[in-house]
Amino acid sequence: MDRLQAMQTFRAVVEAGSFAGGARRLGLSNAMVSKQVARLEEQLGVRLLARTTRRLHLTAEGERYLRGAARLLDELQELEAGLGEQRGEIRGKVRLSAPLDFGVRELMPALQAFEQKHPAVRLEVVLEDRRVDLLAEDFDLVVRIGELEDSSLIARRLMTMPMHVYASPGYLARYGTPGHPDELRSHRCLHYSLQRDGPCWTFLVDGKPQRYRFQPVMTCNNGRALAEAASRGMGLVYKPAFLGEPEVARGRLVHVLDDFVTRPLGVYLLYAERDLMPARLQALIHALCEYFAEEKG
């Protein structure tokens, strides 16, 4: 049995959470994947996976083996990619994290342009709204929106993102149009539950930023869903322009309280300082900064 292939198969099964998922990733049959893992366990003389009817669990030995196998596979991939880059080829894997809605609407066109120039680079894109730890979770790049925390990471600004309060014409006809943030207390507000400072919106009043807290009628952890809820007349929503403006163009949403909206949020690309940065990572950083400078500048 090819030990490296068995390691790759084992890792794929664990990352996918099932033999079927691992088989799909690798383009193999379920039976072949199951057989390779079983043979690997037999050769090692330990049980790596505890199988139940619902899911797989790593044993203590499996966790230890996975850490070592993943490190070896990544080092091998890095070595092979580095040799290719010495020949002028840009290849290998880049692991990137970005907020879900921004990733779908804004990042994918930029990655498409990069992929067309560098088809040998494999992109592993993770879209989720939690704040990932770039170093601990082994990401090469992270896209972050809003104020940045102090850290050792390098930050490059990609764009600024305008924010607006939106409501549907039907909602305003039924509940009236607020003329001042003070009036939010008497309106139905939709809250993005992953917002770090809770249910409040910040506005510029008399030239100074002020927070206005409210009791939301609905909370949700997805910005697109909140924009859709507002389009259906369920309440007011405070969202980035890339989510709201398409609905404005369709006549489903209009701007509210624009005289008080705060400055746009910054969108940043974060990465760790390296003595020797792989060419593929340099190329992607340059491509993303260039794309957003041209498209959003």
Side-chain angles (χ1 to χ4, degrees):
M1 178 181 64
D2 186 322
R3 184 62 63 87
L4 282 176
Q5 184 180 6
M7 286 181 179
Q8 292 171 335
T9 301
F10 172 61
R11 184 183 189 181
V13 168
V14 173
E15 291 179 347
S18 67
F19 284 100
R24 284 193 296 272
R25 285 191 178 196
L26 298 171
L28 300 174
S29 67
N30 292 0
M32 177 61 72
V33 167
S34 180
K35 183 182 295 185
Q36 286 190 9
V37 173
R39 286 181 178 176
L40 181 62
E41 290 177 324
E42 182 180 346
Q43 286 193 356
L44 295 173
V46 296
R47 177 75 71 180
L48 300 174
L49 293 169
R51 301 156 176 82
T52 67
T53 55
R54 292 192 174 184
R55 57 178 300 184
L56 298 174
H57 298 274
L58 280 169
T59 63
E61 293 81 6
E63 289 181 1
R64 182 180 177 187
Y65 189 77
L66 178 64
R67 287 195 297 269
R71 184 171 61 252
L72 288 172
L73 291 170
D74 289 343
E75 288 177 357
L76 177 61
Q77 181 186 72
E78 192 73 21
L79 174 62
E80 292 176 345
L83 292 174
E85 289 175 353
Q86 287 180 359
R87 299 193 302 270
E89 302 170 349
I90 296 182
R91 59 175 58 248
K93 183 179 77 172
V94 177
R95 194 160 187 257
L96 168 65
S97 168
L100 175 59
D101 296 321
F102 181 85
V104 172
R105 295 286 186 112
E106 303 290 322
L107 186 61
M108 286 304 155
L111 294 181
Q112 178 193 20
F114 174 80
E115 186 272 338
Q116 290 174 346
K117 291 183 179 179
H118 305 290
V121 176
R122 294 189 297 109
L123 299 173
E124 181 178 337
V125 183
V126 178
L127 300 182
E128 53 186 341
D129 289 337
R130 69 181 180 87
R131 292 208 163 200
V132 304
D133 186 323
L134 181 142
L135 298 176
E137 300 181 53
D138 197 29
F139 283 102
D140 296 300
L141 296 172
V142 169
V143 175
R144 190 147 294 162
I145 299 173
E147 295 184 7
L148 299 178
E149 302 168 346
D150 291 334
S151 75
S152 61
L153 300 177
I154 299 172
R156 299 277 299 274
R157 183 187 286 268
L158 293 179
M159 61 178 288
T160 55
M161 190 168 62
M163 301 287 291
H164 297 284
V165 180
Y166 295 97
S168 72
Y171 174 90
L172 298 179
R174 182 177 181 183
Y175 294 100
T177 302
H180 192 279
D182 280 333
E183 300 174 32
L184 290 175
R185 287 188 294 268
S186 61
H187 276 270
R188 302 176 65 81
C189 297
L190 309 175
H191 173 56
Y192 180 57
S193 59
L194 298 181
Q195 183 178 321
R196 303 181 74 190
D197 50 0
C200 68
W201 296 339
T202 301
F203 296 92
L204 284 178
V205 178
D206 297 327
K208 297 179 181 179
Q210 293 188 26
R211 289 184 177 181
Y212 290 82
R213 294 201 169 272
F214 55 84
Q215 183 66 39
V217 297
M218 186 178 81
T219 63
C220 182
N221 65 347
N222 183 266
R224 282 179 293 172
L226 288 172
E228 178 63 23
S231 297
R232 293 177 178 274
M234 296 175 66
L236 304 174
V237 70
Y238 198 7
K239 300 307 296 178
F242 75 83
L243 286 176
E245 293 308 303
E247 300 307 313
V248 172
R250 297 184 184 101
R252 301 183 72 204
L253 289 177
V254 297
H255 292 184
V256 178
L257 296 173
D258 261 2
D259 290 341
F260 301 93
V261 171
T262 56
R263 64 184 182 277
L265 295 178
V267 181
Y268 301 91
L269 189 64
L270 304 183
Y271 53 96
E273 186 174 6
R274 301 187 183 189
D275 293 332
L276 294 174
M277 182 178 289
R280 61 186 178 279
L281 185 54
Q282 294 181 30
L284 181 55
I285 292 170
H286 176 76
L288 292 178
C289 291
E290 186 177 62
Y291 175 87
F292 283 99
E294 293 177 355
E295 296 293 326
K296 312 294 180 181

